[in-house]
Every structure is written in C-alpha cells, then in structure tokens.
Amino acid sequence: MTQKTLRLILGDQLNQKISSLSDCDKDNDIILMCEVWDETQYVRHHKKKIAFLFSAMRHFAKDLKDQGYQVDYIKLSDDTKSFKGEVEKAIKRHDITDVILTEPSEYRVLDDIKTWANELDINVDIRPNDLFIATHDEFAQWAKDRKQLRMEYFYREMRKKTGLLIDDDGNPEGGEWNYDSENRQTAKKFIKERNDLANQPESKTDKDFEINNKNNALVQDVLKLVEDKFDDHFGDLHPFYFAVTRDQALEVLDNFIANRLPHFGDYQDTMIEGEPWMYHSHLSFYINCGMLTPLEVCETVENAYYDGRRNIPINAAEGFIRQIIGWREYIRGMYWLKMPEYKYENHLNAKRPLPDFFWTGDTDMNCLKQSITETKQNAYAHHIQRLMVLGNFCLLMGAHPDEVNEWYLIVYADAYEWVELPNVTGMVLYADGGVVASKPYAAGSNYINKMSNYCDNCKYSPSVKTGEKACPFNYLYWNFLIENKDVFEGNPRMNMIYSSLDKMDDEKVSAIKNDSEQFLKTIS
Ligand code: FAD
Ligand code: DLZ
Ligand code: SF4
C-alpha cells in the first residue's frame, strides 16, 4: 500500500511556501483544511473576523486545487467540531499513515496536537513555523541571562539577521538604529497640514475590495454562513471590504507603500475622528493569517525606500520595519517564552469587570466611543487607539486581565492569542509585572488631547482635573497611582510622578479618590 500523508493547514497558515507543504507530493498527499466550531467559539470572534478567515481559507484551498494539489476542504457544518475530530475522520477517509503540519501559532492548539500521535495512533510531524523570522531557540538564546528583555535590543539582532536597512559596512542605514524621535506628530499639526499632504488617509484600494467581494460568489457564501450562524457575535459584518486572496493583499501592500508609508512615521500616533485607518498599513490581517510573510513585506518596503523616486523618508521605512521585525517578532518570542503561565498573570491584582459600553460604544467619553465604534465597524483600530485609549482606560480602571484579553481577542480581525496576549497582559495592563513594559503605559487626558481631536467633541474637559466636568482619565490616572503605590514606588522610572503625588494636598487627593469611586460605580 502506498504511504499517504495528510498535510494539515490551519487558518492562519495560508502560505504555499510554508514548511508543511515544502515536500508535498501532489499525486499522493492530501491537504486538509477545515472550518471547525471549536475555533469559532473558544472566543466569540467579531463577525468580520470569521468572514475574513473563512473567505481567505476557501480562496487558498481553491488556489491549491487549481495547481493540482489534492485538497480536502471541510466547510463548517454541525459535524465539524474540532481539528482533532476532522483529522481523525480524514485519516480514515484517505487511509493516512502520517500527519504533517507546521507548528500552530497558539499554545492552546499545539498542546492539543501533541496528544494526537498517541490518541489517534499516527505519526505526527510538527515542523517549525517559518511564517516568523526568529526561531524559538533564537529568542530563548537572546533572552537567556538578560535582566531586562527590551524590544530595542532584540530588534537590532533582527536587523542584523535579516540585513534589512543595514549598509554595506554592516551599519544601520543612516547611522541610527531607531528614528522614532522624528515621528509622532500631533493631531493639531496633522489638521493644519492636512490640505498640503500629498495623500489623504483614506485607503482607496481597501474600498475597491468591497465591490470585488460583492461579485465574488465564494465570499458571498461565507457572508451568508456568518449571517446564519454567527448573527449574535459582536461587530458589523457589512460592508465587507477585506482582501481575501494573496494577490489582493499584495495590492494593499503596494497601495500602502505608494500612498500611506511616506506619512507613516509622522502620523503613526495621531488619532482623528472619522479616520480609522490613517497612514497605517492595515496589513496585520494578511500577515497574521500567512497570506503575506513578514519578511517579504519588509523587503518590499526596504526596496521602495532605496528607490529614491518613491520619496520614502528613513523615519517612515525604519519605523515600519521596526514594528514588524522588532515588535511583532519580540511579542511572539515573549509569548512562547512565557506560556502557559503568562495567561494567568495579574500582577496588579485587578478585579473589575469590563464595562458594558465596550460592546456598544455607548459612553460619553468620546475617545472611547470613537475607538469602540470603529472597532465594531471594522474589526480594526490602530495601535494608539488600542494602547493609549482603550488599553489605558482598562489599566486605569483596574479591569481584570481575563476580561480585557477576551475582549481584544474577540474584536480584532488580526487577533490570535500569540500576539494579543503579550500586548494586553504585558504592554497594556502591566499584569506581567514589567516583563514587556518597563513602566505602565498609564496616562491622563493630556496625551489623548495632544495626539487626537477627540476631546473637541467630548462632554468632558481634558483640562479639568476633578469634578463633574473633569475628564475621567485625569482622576483615574492619579487614583491608579495611589492604588498601586506599593508596586510602583520603587520603580526609578516612576520617581518623578510619585514625588508629584507626594506633594499633592489632601483635599485634592480625596477629590481624586471620591471622583474615581463615583465614576467606577457608574460603569460597573
Ligand atoms: P501598522 O501600524 O501599519 O504596523 C505595521 C505592522 O507592525 C502591523 O501590521 C503588525 O504586524 C506589526 N506590529 C506593530 N505593533 C505591533 C505589536 N505591538 N505587536 C505585534 N505586531 C505589531 N496586533 C495584532 O496583529 N494582533 C492583535 O491581536 C493585536 N492586539 C493588540 C492589542 C493591544 C492592547 C495593543 C496595544 C496592540 C495590539 N496589536 C495587535 C499590535 C498593533 O496594534 C496592531 O498590529 C496594528 O494596530 C495592526 O494594524 P496595522 O497593520 O495597520 O499596523
Ligand atoms: C480564528 C479561526 C477561526 C475563527 N476559525 C478557524 C477554523 O475554522 N479553522 C481553522 O483552521 N482556523 C480557524 N481560525 C484560526 C485558528 O484559530 C488558528 O489557526 C489557530 O489558532 C492557530 O493556533
Ligand atoms: Fe477622552 Fe477625556 Fe478627551 Fe473626553 S476629554 S475625549 S474622555 S480624553
């Protein structure tokens, strides 16, 4: 009997160059892809996220079939419960002797797969996940014996490894590793200069996909499935404008480089009402499901930078590449280094439930209202909305990490635990005790007022510190520092702020505590 191998491709492994397909025998091997309830229900994902992933999976399977591969694609039905169940059925259906797959991106799934060899009595070959740049070993080696695991130093290693923006003498392009000091223009500057900018933030290509998708029977089938089966999940399904094929994702990349990358560095932290996409790349959906690899995205950006005609400044090119080979790889490295304990971290012992308005956007705090409404519409919010508006609020109000992690995992179409968890538990909530962030990203209204125009349309005033008109971020900020004084007082990066707190008169401190208590009651 010929040996038949099953090649399992998971929903975030949609790349033909992936390790599990490297030696695939078109005549003999079966590629299995499956839509399963477990994956749609371990958290109740945003409708757009399910629609995107199923559409992308079905297109990927179709491409493979068109190239002569034998693909067994299992659509969601009452019988498709789990990966393991579908693999078991496929083994019987095709008389399989071996299962090959690329290591899943999430601990939860790997943990389960490790039981299959025994439980299904089959050889299971789990290959390294080559959709990432750093291997687990490389990250572990880098982390070993270091007191602090700071992204910046890991990023430099990744620059050297990939050669991205490294000149012929082995030095960083332009002499600096990091050009962040040239980034981060304020909202006021954006509004003032907007009319003179070569490109406006809105992304035309993304809009074109809405029309493509309306004429695409495969996408329409998926949208109907999501309407039928996931109608009670969070988020707006329509309009559905995501790219669903690799070619379309490459168009998004080209469009980003031509129209948004030149301003990426300048406005990457700016938040403007009615402009959810700004000059960001909107590529995380496509990179995280494997359609585009992180390296090819960075190489395309690097080539565009070296092509002088594209007018891409170094702060934009370096800043963008740092997000991917720096932050993205570092976050993934931390996840695998720290799991499974990382999931249960709660260093600040935060206990409060997430307010209901996180699901509706129904709040008078305009920055939260805008960020949540856009999240509901697009299954997307850009980094600063996630970090300094939504995340900052969760940190200051003392929301329980489980609730916050679940929310972020549900609402964003690019969310998988490997990337969501360290960003939330580590970067936003300081729940890991400072492994990812050396100090909490806590801020009052000053930051939001400087970087956005949200405060212009808010019931609250950013300049008022306590009382009815006061922006809740202002008293919650000090209340957070008071409540967590024991934890942070010894942190040298917090010395200045705690000496201001020490100088504060008792009346002010008690107004802060009172206002916070009253406010937290209204949202619980
Ligand atoms: P751009 O601003 O164009 O950045 C380019 C790319 O850099 C992104 O596509 C992404 O691949 C990478 N990147 C940038 N920052 C990070 C980071 N901190 N971690 C990992 N990758 C990064 N990103 C996700 O992909 N999935 C998530 O579930 C996710 N959850 C987050 C939760 C919180 C609380 C925070 C603060 C950040 C989170 N991020 C997450 C990181 C970042 O916000 C998104 O990657 C980014 O907003 C995606 O939009 P973009 O593609 O337009 O990004
Ligand atoms: C997120 C997701 C969803 C909603 N559904 C599926 C699915 O039905 N089939 C599938 O292969 N993948 C799905 N995914 C992505 C997986 O959750 C992701 O591949 C694993 O979490 C990787 O560890
Ligand atoms: Fe947000 Fe406060 Fe500004 Fe209102 S005043 S938008 S709540 S930062």
Side-chain angles (χ1 to χ4, degrees), residues 184-185 265-271 280 382 384 447 451:
R184 301 181 176 160
Q185 306 291 356
D266 294 345
Y267 297 116
Q268 81 189 98
D269 288 6
T270 318
M271 298 174 281
H280 292 270
H382 68 68
I384 293 303
Y447 179 86
M451 300 312 292

Side-chain angles (χ1 to χ4, degrees), residues 138-195:
E138 275 170 345
F139 193 84
Q141 274 305 318
W142 172 78
K144 203 168 118 241
D145 302 331
R146 274 174 198 262
K147 267 206 198 121
Q148 292 197 317
L149 303 178
R150 295 289 159 249
M151 189 286 294
E152 181 62 28
Y153 298 106
F154 174 70
Y155 164 57
R156 293 179 190 182
E157 296 303 311
M158 290 295 101
R159 286 275 292 278
K160 289 179 209 154
K161 172 172 175 168
T162 58
L164 285 161
L165 296 180
I166 297 288
D167 68 19
D168 293 343
D169 300 325
N171 296 317
E173 184 61 38
E176 304 289 336
W177 288 104
N178 183 319
Y179 291 87
D180 231 8
S181 56
E182 295 172 28
N183 291 336
R184 301 181 176 160
Q185 306 291 356
T186 62
K188 275 199 186 67
K189 189 156 189 281
F190 171 76
I191 289 163
K192 194 162 151 245
E193 292 179 355
R194 181 174 189 158
N195 291 336

Side-chain angles (χ1 to χ4, degrees), residues 256 264 268 277 279-285 287-288 320 322-325 327-329 331-332 380-384 386-388 391 404 408-409 412-421 423-424 427-428:
F256 166 62
F264 175 83
Q268 81 189 98
W277 309 100
Y279 294 100
H280 292 270
S281 67
H282 331 142
L283 287 170
S284 51
F285 321 116
I287 305 174
N288 290 357
F320 179 78
R322 173 161 26 90
Q323 301 312 308
I324 297 197
I325 67 169
W327 277 113
R328 186 174 186 273
E329 291 292 326
I331 284 288
R332 190 252 182 173
Y380 176 86
H382 68 68
H383 186 67
I384 293 303
R386 296 189 205 195
L387 180 66
M388 296 309 292
V404 186
Y408 275 94
L409 199 51
Y412 294 116
D414 56 24
Y416 302 84
E417 190 185 72
W418 68 264
V419 53
E420 173 279 326
L421 181 66
N423 270 301
V424 169
M427 203 185 299
V428 155

Side-chain angles (χ1 to χ4, degrees), residues 25-211:
D25 175 354
K26 282 185 181 169
D27 297 327
N28 216 25
D29 295 351
I30 307 290
I31 296 174
L32 177 69
M33 296 179 67
C34 42
E35 298 168 6
V36 293
W37 282 103
D38 274 7
E39 293 307 300
T40 66
Q41 299 298 309
Y42 72 92
V43 294
R44 293 161 58 80
H45 308 277
H46 193 300
K47 293 191 197 79
K48 264 199 176 78
K49 181 178 179 184
I50 301 178
F52 163 65
L53 218 59
F54 283 10
S55 300
M57 285 170 67
R58 290 184 188 193
H59 277 96
F60 183 72
K62 184 176 173 306
D63 276 357
L64 289 173
K65 272 187 198 161
D66 290 348
Q67 289 169 46
Y69 288 97
Q70 299 184 56
V71 184
D72 193 359
Y73 189 96
I74 312 295
K75 289 185 180 170
L76 192 78
S77 76
D78 292 349
D79 296 335
T80 62
K81 204 186 157 307
S82 63
F83 287 141
K84 185 172 157 196
E86 287 314 305
V87 167
E88 190 169 14
K89 285 188 243 170
I91 290 171
K92 291 193 185 125
R93 210 164 40 238
H94 302 289
D95 225 348
I96 296 291
T97 51
D98 291 84
V99 177
I100 293 179
L101 75 152
T102 292
E103 185 188 81
S105 65
E106 294 178 318
Y107 191 91
R108 164 185 72 82
V109 180
L110 179 62
D111 212 28
D112 180 51
I113 292 174
K114 281 181 175 163
T115 67
W116 294 0
N118 257 340
E119 293 189 13
L120 305 180
D121 194 20
I122 191 112
N123 297 320
V124 180
D125 175 7
I126 304 174
R127 297 180 173 178
N129 193 328
D130 47 0
L131 295 174
F132 294 90
I133 294 166
T135 65
H136 295 322
D137 277 356
E138 275 170 345
F139 193 84
Q141 274 305 318
W142 172 78
K144 203 168 118 241
D145 302 331
R146 274 174 198 262
K147 267 206 198 121
Q148 292 197 317
L149 303 178
R150 295 289 159 249
M151 189 286 294
E152 181 62 28
Y153 298 106
F154 174 70
Y155 164 57
R156 293 179 190 182
E157 296 303 311
M158 290 295 101
R159 286 275 292 278
K160 289 179 209 154
K161 172 172 175 168
T162 58
L164 285 161
L165 296 180
I166 297 288
D167 68 19
D168 293 343
D169 300 325
N171 296 317
E173 184 61 38
E176 304 289 336
W177 288 104
N178 183 319
Y179 291 87
D180 231 8
S181 56
E182 295 172 28
N183 291 336
R184 301 181 176 160
Q185 306 291 356
T186 62
K188 275 199 186 67
K189 189 156 189 281
F190 171 76
I191 289 163
K192 194 162 151 245
E193 292 179 355
R194 181 174 189 158
N195 291 336
D196 300 329
L197 293 172
N199 295 101
Q200 293 303 305
E202 197 67 27
S203 145
K204 188 175 170 302
T205 309
D206 297 4
K207 281 232 152 71
D208 286 348
F209 292 138
E210 187 188 338
I211 300 162

Side-chain angles (χ1 to χ4, degrees), residues 219-425:
V219 172
Q220 292 304 312
D221 272 0
V222 169
L223 294 182
K224 184 145 186 352
L225 174 86
V226 175
E227 275 164 8
D228 286 351
K229 306 282 185 199
F230 303 103
D231 194 40
D232 56 347
H233 282 214
F234 172 78
D236 300 350
L237 179 59
H238 300 285
F240 185 71
Y241 37 66
F242 286 143
V244 293
T245 65
R246 175 172 159 80
D247 284 349
Q248 291 174 347
L250 285 167
E251 267 185 62
V252 180
L253 173 60
D254 282 351
N255 184 34
F256 166 62
I257 291 174
N259 299 318
R260 301 192 296 272
L261 178 60
H263 303 301
F264 175 83
D266 294 345
Y267 297 116
Q268 81 189 98
D269 288 6
T270 318
M271 298 174 281
I272 299 292
E273 205 170 311
E275 297 293 358
W277 309 100
M278 289 302 287
Y279 294 100
H280 292 270
S281 67
H282 331 142
L283 287 170
S284 51
F285 321 116
Y286 313 123
I287 305 174
N288 290 357
C289 77
M291 256 183 203
L292 303 178
T293 68
L295 193 58
E296 75 179 329
V297 167
C298 291
E299 283 172 351
T300 313
V301 164
E302 185 195 37
N303 287 339
Y305 166 73
Y306 283 125
D307 176 353
R309 291 165 302 180
R310 310 292 297 258
N311 283 329
I312 294 161
I314 182 75
N315 64 311
E318 185 281 319
F320 179 78
I321 287 173
R322 173 161 26 90
Q323 301 312 308
I324 297 197
I325 67 169
W327 277 113
R328 186 174 186 273
E329 291 292 326
Y330 166 84
I331 284 288
R332 190 252 182 173
M334 289 302 247
Y335 175 77
W336 283 100
L337 192 72
K338 298 288 175 189
M339 279 298 277
E341 295 79 10
Y342 206 71
K343 209 172 156 61
Y344 307 102
E345 299 274 17
N346 188 0
H347 189 69
L348 301 181
N349 201 16
K351 292 196 183 87
R352 295 191 181 95
L354 210 56
D356 286 345
F357 66 70
F358 265 68
W359 301 107
T360 61
D362 187 11
T363 163
D364 288 329
M365 298 175 74
N366 193 39
C367 51
L368 290 175
K369 188 193 190 78
Q370 296 302 323
S371 303
I372 294 166
T373 306
E374 289 174 4
T375 297
K376 190 165 162 286
Q377 289 168 343
N378 303 321
Y380 176 86
H382 68 68
H383 186 67
I384 293 303
Q385 293 173 306
R386 296 189 205 195
L387 180 66
M388 296 309 292
V389 176
L390 299 159
N392 185 24
F393 184 78
C394 293
L395 172 73
L396 298 188
M397 69 157 281
H400 193 290
D402 288 352
E403 296 234 339
V404 186
N405 274 302
E406 189 184 22
W407 186 82
Y408 275 94
L409 199 51
I410 287 175
V411 302
Y412 294 116
D414 56 24
Y416 302 84
E417 190 185 72
W418 68 264
V419 53
E420 173 279 326
L421 181 66
N423 270 301
V424 169
T425 280

